[in-house]
Structures are given as C-alpha cells and as structure tokens.
Amino acid sequence: MSVAVFPGSFDPITLGHLDIVRRGATLFDSVIIGVARNAAKKALLELDDRLRLARLAVADLPNVTVEAIPGLLVDFCREREASTIVKGLRSGSDLDDEVPMAAMNRHLGGVETVFVPASGALLHVASTLVRDVARYGGDISDLVTPEVATAVYAALGTRP
Ligand code: PNS
C-alpha cells in the first residue's frame, strides 16, 4: 500500500492544490493532505477551518483524507506509514524553496519527496496571492472553491 502525504499550510486550499492532490491520488494508493500549523506565520484561517475546507474540497476523492500535522512532517509520515511526500512546483523559486525541505525531510526521516509540476493554467494560483486579492475585494471565485471563497472573505471582512 503506497501512502503519500501532501503537506502545506493550506491558508486557504486553492484550485492549484486540488489539481496536485487529484493527480497525486492517481500515483499512490492513498494521499493524506497534511495541514500544518506553521509556527512561523499567523494564518488567516484557523486550523479547524483549513481542515474543514480541505475535507469539503476532496469529498469526491475516495483515497484522499485530511489531517492536521501536529509537529514534524517526518514524524507524521512515520506514524501514517507514508514513504513519500508530494509537492507541487509552479516555478524555479518554488524549487529553490522546496529542495532544501526535501533534503531535510530525507535527512531526518528517510522520506522521499516527489514533485508534480503545476498545470499551466494554474501557475499563478498561490494562497498568498489569493489572500491578497480577496483583501482588496478582488474576485477569487475561479481560484478556490465557493466554500473557501466565502470563508476567506468572511475572515478578511471584505467581499468582491
Ligand atoms: O504551504 P507551506 O506553508 O509552504 O507549507 C510548508 C510546510 C507546512 C510543508 C512546512 O512548513 C512543514 O513541513 N511544516 C511541518 C514542520 C516540519 O516538519 N518542518 C520542517 C520541514 S523541512
């Protein structure tokens, strides 16, 4: 049984993430979306909301589940018997960020990382940009699910 973890902050989960999850779900028997707290930055959405919205978004994918990562990603992978981490790559700067993390996770836990290239139509979709567009009343309806859009506007106190 091949298990992969797709980790991230998912603040919020975007159509770009969902594209990677769908494609990852064809490569592994099961994929766990691991929602991290991310001690380094204050999230817009609470962890419980990020979990709920991710679960709603993958409800049609029978081999995808969603869980919180309470600590180190490699510990979570070991507990779930996942030998692989899946990550999406949009650009060279994503690669620059991801390669050290992949190397660290292999160093710490012997877990390999598989990179899935983002689909061309979604190269511009990033949680940071989604939050920024919504903060100023821009339209995020074709970047996230309807439930995510509602939650993001509510958290920011804005609307399109
Ligand atoms: O969506 P993000 O914020 O780019 O995801 C970063 C994430 C959550 C994958 C990374 O911060 C992480 O793995 N956090 C869990 C704690 C951990 O294991 N840190 C060391 C990673 S090398």
Side-chain angles (χ1 to χ4, degrees):
M1 171 101 172
S2 61
V3 182
V5 175
F6 178 42
S9 303
F10 302 106
D11 186 35
I13 194 162
T14 68
L15 297 193
H17 292 131
L18 293 172
D19 175 52
I20 302 297
V21 170
R22 270 178 204 286
R23 291 160 60 202
T26 68
L27 301 175
F28 300 94
D29 293 321
S30 72
V31 173
I32 304 169
I33 297 180
V35 183
R37 285 205 154 76
N38 200 339
K41 37 186 180 180
K42 168 90 180 90
L44 173 67
L45 301 175
E46 297 295 335
L47 179 65
D48 282 352
D49 288 325
R50 288 181 275 143
L51 289 165
R52 177 180 58 82
L53 293 165
R55 285 187 181 119
L56 260 178
V58 297
D60 63 320
L61 299 176
N63 64 334
V64 178
T65 53
V66 180
E67 292 185 54
I69 300 177
L72 274 181
L73 174 55
V74 290
D75 292 338
F76 182 80
C77 289
R78 190 181 312 115
E79 282 160 21
R80 296 292 177 271
E81 298 185 348
S83 56
T84 311
I85 293 164
V86 175
K87 283 284 193 106
L89 280 185
R90 288 162 303 203
S91 64
S93 77
D94 274 358
L95 187 67
D96 288 345
D97 292 340
E98 295 296 341
V99 166
M101 283 199 268
M104 180 60 82
N105 287 323
R106 195 155 79 92
H107 168 78
L108 290 174
V111 186
E112 289 288 2
T113 298
V114 167
F115 293 116
V116 176
S119 298
L122 296 168
L123 288 174
H124 60 299
V125 183
S127 299
T128 317
L129 293 178
V130 165
R131 293 196 304 271
D132 210 40
V133 170
R135 178 167 287 117
Y136 299 104
D139 181 9
I140 59 169
S141 62
D142 51 4
L143 307 174
V144 296
T145 63
E147 295 82 9
V148 168
T150 301
V152 168
Y153 289 123
L156 290 166
T158 60
R159 55 184 186 176

